[in-house]
Amino acid sequence: MIRIDVDMDKCQHYGQCVFEAPEVFQLNADDKLEYVAEAPDEMLGDLEAAADVCPMQAILITKA
Amino acid sequence: MDAPLLIVGASMAGLRTAEGARRAGYSGPIRFLGAEEHAPYNRPPLSKELLQTPGHGHAEVAFPIRSALEEGVEWMLGRPATALDTARQVVTDARGDEHAYSALVIATGLRPKPLPIDGHGLTGIHVLRTIDDAVALRDSLRPGANVVILGSGFVGCEIAATAAKNGATVSIVTQSRVPLERALGPLLGAEMRRRHEAHGVRFFCGESLFGLVGDPAVERVILTSGVMLECDVLVVAVGSDPNTEWLQGSGLDVSDGVLVDGGLRAIGVDGTVHPQIFAVGDVARYPNPLFDDVARRVEHWNLPTETGKRAGQLIAAQLAGDDCEPLAAAGFAPLPSFWSDQYDAHVLAFGMTYLADRSELVAGSLDDECIVEYYRGDALVGVCGIGMRGAVQAYRSKFAVPARQ
Ligand SMILES: Cc1cc2nc3c(=O)[nH]c(=O)nc-3n(C[C@H](O)[C@H](O)[C@H](O)COP(=O)(O)OP(=O)(O)OC[C@H]3O[C@@H](n4cnc5c(N)ncnc54)[C@H](O)[C@@H]3O)c2cc1C
Ligand code: SF4
């Protein structure tokens, strides 16, 4: 499994991550980020891409 | 041993290219040659969080190094490249050492344009591109300091917002009619001016510097109109120039950054493509078929990642001996995206707003949250929002490469 942590003090809810891994990241109706904290290993590429495009560099991906 | 994939410029675009090459299957040696002493770090916080947070340094902004780059990668930092010989496939560094390459990545980015007048060696004059610049500037932005910022692009405006929040007295001197004029147009530019003024920032538009007074530190600046401003800190933020001096005489077209084709492969002054030489990030100049066929340099943060991924694919194919032409011909049409934080305004944009000849408010109200569309003729070339993230994000799908006639 892969663990996903978003530093919510840093996150500005830009939603760039949503386009790389919509299964994990979403903007809710109030334009606030929601995400799931764990994902299967096959998603590593997409999750790294999401971490790369985050303007605040708020996403931490770790292999659990 | 095989010559390594040599990446000149150890910053975001170089890092993303190395990651991209690994992801595309390249497992050979990689060598970074970087002018700065620091491992790759993220620049946007330099005008924002890092500039207002004492104690923050490289650790707070360093990019994580992914496991794919833990092995087979040599970091030669503090060693700027000085020359490229494409015939012998070697790069020379400032110590005179030569570095052979199998493929070369040019990722040397930009540097701030200097003070446009003679500074007479006065102290108190700053630019902002590197973390060392940011730390030096932060130390001088004391509450009560008189800060004059020359230039009203993103970097200048963000420094102004940060300094004003810290209690400095801030003036922006700019030749433009409104701040951020080129990027955001007259409508949003005027609104950003209003927001800055609400925080006490003064604007001197249609102005430039005439002279400086002080010894040994700057004390006052004189504007072209004759206005004199108290000044303890002068920040020069009037745009950037590409770091391509080391490529002079190499035969590459470096007339404005490094000209590359849709595969990010360097093009020579004679028009030939160099299949082993790539340019990525801010220093690269390439056409984007989303808009037209004009090659441009684009200085937005998402493009080091986009160009790096793309170059990485071609590098892996090239070094594996595969035919790169189909990949290169597939075209490269990344959607530029930029953001900016000034006070509580979170600006997010897609496209090339600066190509527009008109802009139009389509949602919300300017003095609150809003969306502005940018048009060149009838074609949508960009969108920019303050807040309203979900609605701005939804615009991404509206930018598409027009079908060939
Ligand atoms: C203060 C600041 C704030 C920004 N904020 C935003 C923002 O909010 N939103 C946004 O979209 N974009 C922003 N940007 C733009 C974004 O950071 C850049 O687009 C990005 O850093 C470009 O990355 P790069 O790797 O192409 O170039 P750079 O990061 O400039 O890296 C080039 C590297 O090459 C090195 N180098 C130069 N010459 C040589 C040589 N001869 N030999 C070896 N190495 C060399 C340099 O020292 C540098 O380390 C900001 C930029 C700055 C400076
Ligand atoms: S990209 Fe980063 S800042 Fe934007 S919503 Fe995702 S985590 Fe938050």
Side-chain angles (χ1 to χ4, degrees):
Chain A
M1 288 303 262
I2 299 168
R3 239 193 96 77
I4 298 125
D5 290 291
V6 178
D7 181 340
M8 292 313 279
D9 290 335
K10 280 192 181 171
C11 172
Q12 293 290 349
H13 312 281
Y14 280 104
Q16 304 285 80
C17 51
V18 175
F19 281 78
E20 303 294 339
E23 302 86 345
V24 168
F25 302 100
Q26 288 192 340
L27 287 184
N28 68 19
D30 297 329
D31 280 352
K32 293 279 183 275
L33 178 72
E34 287 177 359
Y35 66 101
V36 293
E38 273 189 351
D41 287 346
E42 304 85 80
M43 287 203 63
L44 183 64
D46 289 351
L47 291 169
E48 286 187 346
D52 285 354
V53 301
C54 170
M56 310 316 290
Q57 293 288 290
I59 303 175
L60 185 68
I61 303 295
T62 32
K63 275 209 170 157
Chain B
M1 203 188 82
D2 285 345
L5 163 60
L6 181 65
I7 302 182
V8 180
S11 185
M12 185 177 195
L15 177 67
R16 295 289 182 247
T17 308
E19 291 171 351
R22 279 279 193 263
R23 205 173 298 132
Y26 173 71
S27 57
I30 299 177
R31 176 178 294 177
F32 281 94
L33 208 54
E36 290 182 77
E37 298 283 350
H38 306 286
Y41 60 89
N42 195 24
R43 293 187 199 276
L46 302 185
S47 52
K48 309 175 186 81
E49 299 84 6
L50 192 132
L51 199 54
Q52 60 186 348
T53 318
H56 272 202
H58 183 260
E60 279 71 24
V61 291
F63 284 117
I65 301 298
R66 301 213 190 286
S67 52
L69 294 184
E70 274 164 13
E71 273 173 43
V73 180
E74 248 180 307
W75 297 90
M76 296 192 161
L77 303 177
R79 292 175 72 161
T82 52
L84 164 64
D85 183 335
T86 58
R88 291 174 51 230
Q89 294 201 192
V90 291
V91 168
T92 307
D93 72 20
R95 296 186 194 172
D97 292 347
E98 291 195 335
H99 305 265
Y101 59 83
S102 53
L104 171 68
V105 177
I106 300 168
T108 45
L110 312 176
R111 62 167 179 284
K113 285 187 196 287
L115 184 69
I117 59 172
D118 188 349
H120 298 290
L122 295 188
T123 59
I125 304 175
H126 295 258
V127 293
L128 180 57
R129 181 83 191 176
T130 68
I131 189 158
D132 299 337
D133 294 339
V135 169
L137 179 58
R138 181 176 70 202
D139 290 345
S140 63
L141 291 181
R142 300 173 311 277
N146 289 302
V147 178
V148 176
I149 295 166
L150 186 64
S152 62
F154 281 111
V155 171
C157 284
E158 289 180 359
I159 297 170
T162 305
K165 273 192 287 189
N166 279 6
T169 302
V170 182
S171 305
I172 292 183
V173 176
T174 173
Q175 288 179 329
S176 309
R177 285 165 298 174
V178 294
L180 300 163
E181 185 172 28
R182 201 177 87 86
L184 298 186
L187 210 60
L188 267 186
E191 170 56 21
M192 293 311 292
R193 173 175 179 160
R194 192 194 63 77
R195 292 181 187 227
H196 278 277
E197 285 175 338
H199 288 84
V201 174
R202 289 187 301 167
F203 281 85
F204 298 87
C205 293
E207 285 263 36
S208 188
L209 281 191
F210 177 74
L212 307 178
V213 181
D215 180 28
V218 60
E219 290 167 15
R220 276 183 292 281
V221 299
I222 304 165
L223 308 189
T224 37
S225 64
V227 169
M228 181 123 67
L229 300 174
E230 296 292 317
C231 179
D232 309 310
V233 182
L234 173 61
V235 186
V236 183
V238 289
S240 313
D241 290 319
N243 289 319
T244 49
E245 285 71 12
W246 66 284
L247 298 169
Q248 293 300 336
S250 66
L252 302 185
D253 183 336
V254 292
S255 47
D256 175 25
V258 181
L259 181 65
V260 294
D261 71 0
L264 300 171
R265 302 177 300 181
I267 299 177
V269 280
D270 57 2
T272 56
V273 171
H274 290 253
Q276 287 94 353
I277 305 181
F278 300 80
V280 292
D282 282 4
V283 79
R285 180 162 64 98
Y286 51 91
N288 187 333
L290 280 182
F291 304 95
D292 50 33
D293 54 10
V294 180
R296 295 187 184 85
R297 290 191 291 111
V298 185
E299 304 173 20
H300 297 322
W301 185 88
N302 76 317
L303 294 165
T305 298
E306 297 284 345
T307 54
K309 251 193 235 171
R310 166 95 173 144
Q313 288 174 338
L314 273 107
I315 290 165
Q318 171 73 21
L319 294 181
D322 297 346
D323 177 12
C324 286
E325 294 316 315
L327 247 182
F332 178 55
L335 180 61
S337 119
F338 61 89
W339 83 96
S340 180
D341 296 323
Q342 298 169 42
Y343 313 107
D344 51 1
H346 297 295
V347 176
L348 175 63
F350 291 102
M352 292 203 190
T353 49
Y354 30 85
L355 298 181
D357 43 50
R358 72 192 157 90
S359 59
E360 212 174 286
L361 177 71
V362 292
S365 78
L366 279 176
D367 60 1
D368 185 23
E369 299 209 325
C370 62
I371 295 180
V372 172
E373 292 179 347
Y374 293 81
Y375 288 91
R376 178 170 63 180
D378 292 332
L380 182 74
V381 289
V383 62
C384 181
I386 301 181
M388 307 185 86
R389 308 271 166 56
V392 180
Q393 289 285 2
Y395 272 85
R396 283 179 186 240
S397 56
K398 299 198 184 196
F399 297 91
V401 179
R404 294 245 172 101
Q405 308 285 317

